[in-house]
Amino acid sequence: MATGSLLLSQPLHLLHLLLFLLLLLAFMLPKTISVATGDDGTASYYVPPYERTECYGEGSSQFPESNFFAAVGDNLWDLGAACGREYEVRCISKAQSGPGPCKPGSDTIRVKVVDYALSVSSSAASPKQSVTGADLVLSQIAFEAIANPSVDSITVELKEV
């Protein structure tokens, strides 16, 4: 009789262990897998001429052909490791009244980091960035692809790709 109860208890212990592991996985999995949505931040823009960048120095070859590029603020700079990173950026600002800050029908754009927005030698270290404290300072073309150019800054969702 002891043998029969021992055989019944092993599957029961195995079942409890399996349930425990599934619960543990259910609680840990969302913390280890990145979600499809990105982080919220702010974006401003700067205008040409784009001459010198903190990442690549001088020369026009550093800019992507699309002219969708950005300088980053302290939150994203990562001691220069941000150079060359690419972000998907989407305008999510809400209008208080009148025309909204986001360009109607705009989609996500992809920008390449080429500069540090707070560098003294950068043309991205614009008054707009200093005033707004933007996480991203987009090229004018990139900004106008997703936002109304009459606003100085927008709220964006950004995701590193």
Side-chain angles (χ1 to χ4, degrees), residues 5-116:
S5 64
L6 180 61
L7 289 176
L8 288 176
S9 67
Q10 282 182 346
L12 190 58
H13 287 305
L14 199 55
L15 181 61
H16 285 150
L17 180 61
L18 184 59
L19 286 172
F20 172 76
L21 290 174
L22 285 173
L23 283 171
L24 184 63
L25 185 62
F27 284 106
M28 297 300 289
L29 197 57
K31 293 178 178 127
T32 58
I33 294 179
S34 71
V35 184
T37 60
D39 294 323
D40 290 354
T42 56
S44 186
Y45 69 96
Y46 63 122
V47 297
Y50 309 114
E51 297 171 350
R52 178 166 174 34
T53 68
E54 192 69 26
C55 293
Y56 306 109
E58 295 181 20
S60 60
S61 63
Q62 64 185 306
F63 302 108
E65 285 184 35
S66 66
N67 282 318
F68 281 23
F69 56 88
V72 295
D74 280 336
N75 291 340
L76 299 173
W77 180 239
D78 196 16
L79 300 174
C83 293
R85 286 182 185 159
E86 293 189 2
Y87 288 92
E88 287 183 346
V89 182
R90 183 172 64 95
C91 182
I92 59 172
S93 286
K94 303 291 182 214
Q96 300 298 326
S97 65
C102 296
K103 185 175 183 177
S106 66
D107 200 7
T108 300
I109 60 168
R110 188 175 191 155
V111 296
K112 177 183 176 184
V113 175
V114 298
D115 209 351
Y116 177 44

